[in-house]
Amino acid sequence: MAKNYDAIVIGGGSVGLPIAFFLAKEGLKVLCIEALPSVGQGQNKAAIGGVRATHSDPAKIGICLKSLEVFSAWEETHGDFISWKRGGYCFPVYRQREETILRNLLEIQKASNLEIDWVGPDRIMELVPGIVPEGLRGGTFSPNDGQVSPLMFSASCHFRAEEKGAEFRFGERVTEIKLGKGDRVEKVITDKDEYSAPVVVNAAGAFAKEIGAMTGLDVPVTPDSHEAGITAPVEHFLDPLVVDIRPGKDGKTANFYFGQAATGQLIFCYTPAELFVGTDRDETSEFMPVIAQRMVELVPRFKNLLVRRVWRGLYPMTPDGVAIVDKVEEQPGMFLAVGMCGQGFMMGPGVAVNLVSLIVHGKPDLPDDVFNALSFKRNFGGKVEALK
Ligand SMILES: Cc1cc2nc3c(=O)[nH]c(=O)nc-3n(C[C@H](O)[C@H](O)[C@H](O)COP(=O)(O)OP(=O)(O)OC[C@H]3O[C@@H](n4cnc5c(N)ncnc54)[C@H](O)[C@@H]3O)c2cc1C
């Protein structure tokens, strides 16, 4: 006999965990099924923990403003330290090209209630001590963005969801989803058991396509690999997370970013100029020399840092760089929270608030016209988001 729930969430990662939490908070009987041995062990733990509402798409801005509300109040509300740091996000600029891109985005960002502005070179030098001053034109700064530890948040979110009655099955892989009359979702079958629920949420990250295929859906999510690293802790000197959107002279990097965690370590990452499509998570010998060169060129004092560890994880990408958060019209009860690209951690709580509102109240938290940008049925051949 299948065990009955009100809702089943497939995937206990950046997005599935807050969804389970907010569903349980609404009083639903929730089961979250995770193939790995504990929470956040998929791509969640690969994230460097940057949380920004500084995007170019109003839906992503709205989602992340909600996430920031949740993250910034988490410790006070639940008593758990999640390494939240409100240091802002800073995009320093050295060339006309990037200045035009970032200045053009300010209008849409401000219209979406994001606190952000263009600041001069002196302010950038205060925000990023040691940044090379030659040619610095200024940049944007959004003071309310910040950072969180993905591991600390996922652990806390798991415990708080359980407190609210959510159940978790770890080390259990979903292998089949059965539809019933009218293609309504009915059962989720795993390698260990079977469960039934009128609501099933696909939050399987890089493997969302495989879960979609179980009911014949073509979910356009393709993973690609990104590397990151972390240094030994140093005395706190850097508030914002810093993003340099210039493509590298190295020909290897599209942009790069770094920040200092509340616990002192510098964390850093770059977007490869040519994406590594697939699920390869082995670190490369190329990453460290390339990122070190870019970081030291921008902030020479970084040459003194001691790098502790590097790793490689996956971005669950959609063709236009925007997530899919929607119900599946032709399969009543089926919901998608997938394709988070490089922003799934920061989007998690905001996606959860909106999706849970859609499930429980029939409408998202954001206005429909804004939320529709995340629709499953949109034209994915359209424009690619400027600040992916
Ligand atoms: C180097 C790097 C740096 C990053 N930095 C940031 C950052 O600073 N900020 C940010 O917001 N994002 C960042 N990201 C992106 C972020 O990590 C992802 O977007 C996010 O983790 C995706 O969340 P998710 O819940 O969709 O996937 P996941 O967190 O991977 O969760 C999906 C879960 O589903 C499970 N699953 C899959 N298939 C099955 C199945 N059949 N049965 C049961 N369970 C299943 C998986 O095991 C997994 O745990 C970064 C990523 C990388 C690689």
Side-chain angles (χ1 to χ4, degrees), residues 93-143:
V93 163
Y94 286 86
R95 308 189 309 181
Q96 180 65 54
R97 190 173 176 279
E98 284 76 28
E99 180 167 342
T100 308
I101 294 173
L102 293 175
R103 280 190 186 272
N104 284 344
L105 291 176
L106 287 176
E107 196 183 332
I108 199 168
Q109 291 170 331
K110 287 181 177 179
S112 304
N113 299 321
L114 178 68
E115 196 182 324
I116 185 165
D117 228 325
W118 182 265
V119 296
D122 289 349
R123 180 73 179 121
I124 298 284
M125 285 190 286
E126 271 170 32
L127 289 165
V128 191
I131 193 168
V132 166
E134 287 81 29
L136 184 60
R137 303 168 76 97
T140 60
F141 179 54
S142 46

Side-chain angles (χ1 to χ4, degrees), residues 265-303:
Q265 304 91 332
L266 267 279
I267 32 184
F268 50 87
C269 210
Y270 70 73
T271 305
E274 276 201 37
L275 295 179
F276 296 95
V277 175
T279 54
D280 189 354
R281 295 188 64 183
D282 288 344
E283 302 89 57
T284 66
S285 55
E286 186 173 277
F287 172 70
M288 210 40 243
V290 169
I291 187 83
Q293 180 80 26
R294 283 212 71 173
M295 285 180 64
V296 171
E297 268 172 25
L298 189 72
V299 184
R301 66 195 287 189
F302 283 169
K303 69 177 191 294

Side-chain angles (χ1 to χ4, degrees), residues 11 13-15 34-35 43-44 48-50 174 205 313 315 341-346:
S14 302
V15 176
E34 168 55 55
Q43 305 323 308
N44 176 77
I48 67 167
V174 172
Y315 280 15
C341 308
Q343 296 113 23
F345 178 68
M346 62 182 83

